[in-house]
Amino acid sequence: MNLAELNKVAEAMVAPGKGILAADESSGTIKKRFDAIGVESTEENRRDYRELLFRATEAMSNYISGVILYDETIRQNAKDGTPLVRLIEQTGAIPGIKVDTGAKPLPFCPGETVTEGLDGLRERLNEYYRLGARFAKWRAVIDIGPGIPSRNCIVANAQALARYAALCQEAQIVPIVEPEVLMDGDHTIGRCAEVTEATLREVFYQLGLAGVALEGIVLKPNMIVPGKKCPTQASVEQVAVETIKVLKRVVPAAVPGIAYLSGGQSDVDATAHLDAMNRIGGFPWKMTFSYGRALQAAPQKAWSGKPENVPAAQKAFLHRARMNGLASKGEWSRDLEG
């Protein structure tokens, strides 16, 4: 492991004014996205859609530091034969890859899951490195409900994240460590804070046991928000304060940066929360975004599968990327949303 090189990539992933595009939707997930805009989820349509994003030069060059890809996408070529990985590299962004195989039911723990994908991961990582990936992603899912999460669920997912992260660093790939506490349900912001803190404590404990070098990772956590069904929703400022409070308690300063997931928030809410945190400041890490839907919902709708709509889709992508780039520096304003 060359930690200096891993750190260099991790620092580039959280460079000021830039963030990560999560374009790693599984075939099932992107079908749902395409169904919503009336587009058939064929390999060609998936390729065309992602190509339009990667060819949005202004957005990619100025506001996107890296792109998380799906296994299909990292192997695809653009219409003109150029590998999609090469299109990403040409904009100065770093290609990455999703390597987990999804959350599966945890035995004897109703309503809880553990993320799988460790079998054969060493070999897959070596192949992905050859294909151009320099970072990877593994998502653990922690749900909040009556009696959950259990200690078993938190520990099982933290151990899997740590084993994945160690294998990544062995392969000279920066691991994005993503323990997501879901915002489904009716829990309060306080309950979200409690579960997120417990989860992150266990994650960093297991990373330490696994020998993972924190200077060579990027953390991708949820923000501290109440459940969608909670009767008392939080203000932007409250979310920012509570999120920073929890992370200061448990995230070591050695971690280069934190790239938040949007977790089902609206486009503007995800941007507003990131901006508010960066305006508060006073933390040792860079704070930026690693958004999927919060970056892509607008361009997907503008595109709707029609080649003539590509410029409009790229314009929509540029707007959202720019808004989040500004938020990563605490320079966003609602007035800029138009």
Side-chain angles (χ1 to χ4, degrees):
M1 175 181 72
N2 184 332
L3 182 55
E5 284 301 314
L6 288 173
N7 177 255
K8 183 179 177 181
V9 172
E11 292 283 359
M13 290 165 65
V14 293
K18 293 189 175 186
I20 299 164
L21 167 64
D24 60 330
E25 301 89 353
S26 66
S27 299
T29 299
I30 200 163
K31 182 181 185 304
K32 293 176 186 175
R33 305 281 187 267
F34 279 13
D35 285 348
I37 57 172
V39 176
E40 186 181 359
S41 183
T42 63
E43 182 178 354
E44 184 178 4
N45 283 340
R46 293 192 294 270
R47 187 274 316 274
D48 288 350
Y49 168 65
R50 282 162 171 152
E51 181 179 347
L52 81 81
L53 295 177
F54 306 156
R55 288 194 185 277
T57 307
E58 186 177 353
M60 291 287 296
S61 298
N62 294 327
Y63 307 112
I64 302 298
S65 60
V67 182
I68 311 171
L69 301 170
Y70 188 56
D71 181 80
E72 175 186 78
T73 318
I74 200 171
R75 304 174 190 280
Q76 284 179 318
N77 294 330
K79 267 189 175 178
D80 65 2
T82 306
L84 292 184
V85 167
R86 199 70 58 240
L87 292 184
I88 295 167
E89 291 173 339
Q90 286 171 356
T91 67
I94 305 166
I97 182 70
K98 166 190 165 76
V99 297
D100 69 73
T101 57
K104 307 295 167 58
L106 190 60
F108 311 117
C109 295
E112 299 190 286
T113 62
V114 62
T115 300
E116 297 183 351
L118 290 170
D119 289 351
L121 181 56
R122 175 179 280 116
E123 292 74 23
R124 288 190 289 128
L125 287 167
N126 289 333
E127 181 189 15
Y128 287 138
Y129 187 92
R130 291 193 297 271
L131 289 170
R134 293 298 177 265
F135 71 92
K137 189 199 88 164
W138 179 288
R139 174 177 176 252
V141 182
I142 308 295
D143 207 352
I144 299 178
I148 62 172
S150 64
R151 174 81 178 139
N152 182 37
C153 175
I154 291 174
V155 172
N157 278 289
Q159 288 176 337
L161 275 168
R163 289 179 60 193
Y164 140 81
L167 285 166
C168 282
Q169 292 191 338
E170 177 188 78
Q172 205 55 38
I173 287 176
V174 171
I176 289 181
V177 176
E178 181 178 356
E180 178 179 4
V181 176
L182 299 178
M183 62 184 291
D184 302 329
D186 61 0
H187 55 273
T188 64
I189 192 170
R191 179 62 175 150
C192 179
E194 177 186 340
V195 172
T196 301
E197 181 172 339
T199 299
L200 289 173
R201 283 189 187 280
E202 188 63 34
V203 166
F204 281 101
Y205 174 69
Q206 295 294 339
L207 289 172
L209 290 181
V212 174
L214 298 185
E215 295 86 352
I217 75 167
V218 170
L219 180 67
K220 182 174 178 177
N222 54 283
M223 299 177 193
I224 306 301
V225 294
K228 292 178 184 176
K229 298 174 185 174
C230 180
T232 304
Q233 291 296 308
S235 68
V236 169
E237 292 72 22
Q238 188 180 6
V239 169
V241 168
E242 293 301 315
T243 302
I244 292 173
K245 185 188 300 182
V246 167
L247 268 60
K248 275 187 171 182
R249 286 175 180 163
V250 293
V251 180
V255 175
I258 294 170
Y260 290 97
L261 56 89
S262 50
Q265 299 177 54
S266 73
D267 299 2
V268 176
D269 282 351
T271 304
H273 289 145
L274 178 62
D275 177 73
M277 284 186 280
N278 279 298
R279 285 180 185 272
I280 292 172
F283 39 79
W285 337 272
K286 298 180 182 73
M287 280 191 180
T288 188
F289 59 92
S290 178
Y291 293 164
R293 274 173 293 180
L295 275 172
Q296 295 187 62
Q300 280 174 6
K301 186 176 180 182
W303 173 59
S304 295
K306 299 175 182 177
E308 63 269 24
N309 290 343
V310 166
Q314 291 177 329
K315 183 178 179 181
F317 176 47
L318 170 61
H319 176 70
R320 288 265 48 90
R322 178 171 172 261
M323 293 299 99
N324 286 302
L326 290 170
S328 73
K329 298 187 291 184
E331 297 175 0
W332 173 80
S333 165
R334 286 186 186 273
D335 295 338
L336 298 170
E337 292 290 347

